[in-house]
Amino acid sequence: LGADGLSSSAYGPDEAFRQLGAHPFLAIPLAALTAATVLLIAAAYRRIIEEFPSGGGGYVVATKLLGAEAGVVSGSALLVDYVLTITMSIAAAGDALFSFMPMAWHGAKLPVEFGLLLLLTALNIRGVRESVLALLPVFLLFLVTHALIIGGGLLVSAPKAAATFASARVGYAQGVSTLGIGGLLMLFIRAYSLGGGTYTGIEAVSNGLPIMREPKVETGKRTMVYMGTSLAFTAAGLLLCYLFWQVSPVAGKTMNAVLVERIAGGLPLGGTFVVLFLFSEATLLVVAAQAGFIDGPRVLANMAVDSWVPHRFAALSERLTTQNGILLMGAAGVAALLYTGGDIGHLVV
């Protein structure tokens, strides 16, 4: 259940840091605010878990607590969200995979992304679901590689932390003189908002309560603590590592790819570690796209029961899948990928 949330650290902090441009020192308050936002959302979902022990998605919660009108707004927003979860995750997986490949191969990135999206659509129509045991090694590989890079990156750069903070104070003074306090604040807000992809997927635990071990509510609340703290650490840690290691955008590579190459690239077996780091990231992102194919049709089915969308979206096929909902999610994902060309910056906006 943590895969969808944690995988967003592959593109959320990346996009936020890129917006800082010549003012990277803002990464320090940005990391603090990002971590605080994750923990605040996780705390809110802990309350929802208490109130909805059988599982509470946004549509169900809004409808029961705020009324039908609020429910349909929430449901509509969730459908857009799940389409973009699919598209964004597949596009980010493509970016991660091709970050360790030659630039000459990058022309194949978009066709590969279309192939992955169509494959997921076909698998879901056939009723295939991911196996927890099959995914566990990839999830653990992601956790280990990212913990080593973030922990090692912060530890190695610790001796120069004082100099970095002193430089940040100078940068702040220069930023105020060139942009003014208002301009600097607007730049910070823009970076924070475009890093909003970091917060997607946190609802997975609240939605997944029916599969939890008894007592479900306590298990769900504990899981939410693990998920919130791990995502807060990963997202904030990456932002600080970008700053401490003076990471800047490189054509054809994600910020995470640049960071891991800078930290581990020169070490023994460093090249292998870089590939494992990016492969685990790409694989987890594909798993995150699967969340859109599972939860999107579920929201459609709930809305169909309440007659907000055609009733056929609640009907099961002979394979016991909500085939119409899956087809709609897949087609919308393909359209979004085609329209944006798989560009993460465009998709975030």
Side-chain angles (χ1 to χ4, degrees), residues 193-205:
S193 63
L194 290 182
T198 306
Y199 316 120
T200 122
I202 301 177
E203 78 285 347
V205 176

Side-chain angles (χ1 to χ4, degrees), residues 138-150 273 277:
V138 174
F139 190 66
L140 291 176
L141 180 63
F142 179 95
L143 288 176
V144 169
T145 54
H146 283 65
L148 286 173
I149 284 298
I150 295 170
F273 183 87
F277 180 97

Side-chain angles (χ1 to χ4, degrees), residues 38-56:
V38 170
L39 295 175
L40 178 63
I41 295 171
Y45 272 113
R46 278 171 58 88
R47 295 293 300 275
I48 288 177
I49 287 169
E50 291 174 353
E51 296 293 328
F52 294 85
S54 59

Side-chain angles (χ1 to χ4, degrees), residues 22-288:
H23 307 277
F25 59 89
L26 288 174
I28 297 172
L30 185 59
L33 188 57
T34 298
T37 304
V38 170
L39 295 175
L40 178 63
I41 295 171
Y45 272 113
R46 278 171 58 88
R47 295 293 300 275
I48 288 177
I49 287 169
E50 291 174 353
E51 296 293 328
F52 294 85
S54 59
Y59 173 71
V60 174
V61 172
T63 300
K64 289 188 177 180
L65 295 184
L66 301 174
E69 291 78 8
V72 73
V73 171
S74 177
S76 301
L78 277 170
L79 292 178
V80 176
D81 168 60
Y82 284 128
V83 169
L84 290 176
T85 290
I86 293 168
T87 314
M88 178 83 77
S89 297
I90 293 293
D95 285 352
L97 278 176
F98 281 84
S99 287
F100 60 82
M101 295 182 184
M103 283 295 292
W105 294 15
H106 279 230
K109 184 168 77 73
L110 196 57
V112 167
E113 290 168 3
F114 276 116
L116 285 172
L117 211 164
L118 293 172
L119 177 63
L120 277 181
T121 305
L123 288 175
N124 279 279
I125 288 173
R126 292 180 60 84
V128 174
R129 294 290 182 267
E130 69 266 29
S131 163
V132 173
L133 289 178
L135 293 174
L136 188 59
V138 174
F139 190 66
L140 291 176
L141 180 63
F142 179 95
L143 288 176
V144 169
T145 54
H146 283 65
L148 286 173
I149 284 298
I150 295 170
L154 293 176
L155 193 63
V156 171
S157 57
K160 56 182 180 182
T164 302
F165 286 119
S167 176
R169 284 195 292 272
V170 173
Y172 174 76
Q174 292 174 342
V176 170
S177 65
T178 55
L179 297 178
I181 293 178
L184 210 59
L185 180 62
M186 291 303 295
L187 177 67
F188 179 81
I189 291 172
R190 174 179 169 81
Y192 173 73
S193 63
L194 290 182
T198 306
Y199 316 120
T200 122
I202 301 177
E203 78 285 347
V205 176
S206 176
N207 285 340
L209 278 183
I211 68 170
M212 291 281 186
R213 184 171 54 199
E214 294 288 355
K216 295 182 186 295
V217 170
E218 292 305 314
T219 304
K221 288 168 65 177
R222 190 166 61 250
T223 305
M224 186 58 74
V225 170
Y226 296 155
M227 185 180 184
T229 51
S230 61
L231 178 56
F233 169 78
T234 305
L238 285 171
L239 284 167
L240 291 176
C241 281
Y242 296 157
L243 174 66
F244 290 153
W245 289 82
Q246 299 178 343
V247 174
S248 56
V250 174
K253 293 182 183 293
T254 64
M255 297 288 278
N256 284 1
V258 178
L259 176 67
V260 70
E261 286 177 354
R262 186 160 296 180
I263 295 176
L267 300 176
L269 298 177
T272 303
F273 183 87
V274 169
V275 171
L276 289 175
F277 180 97
L278 294 171
F279 173 77
S280 68
E281 204 166 78
T283 306
L284 211 64
L285 282 160
V286 173
V287 175

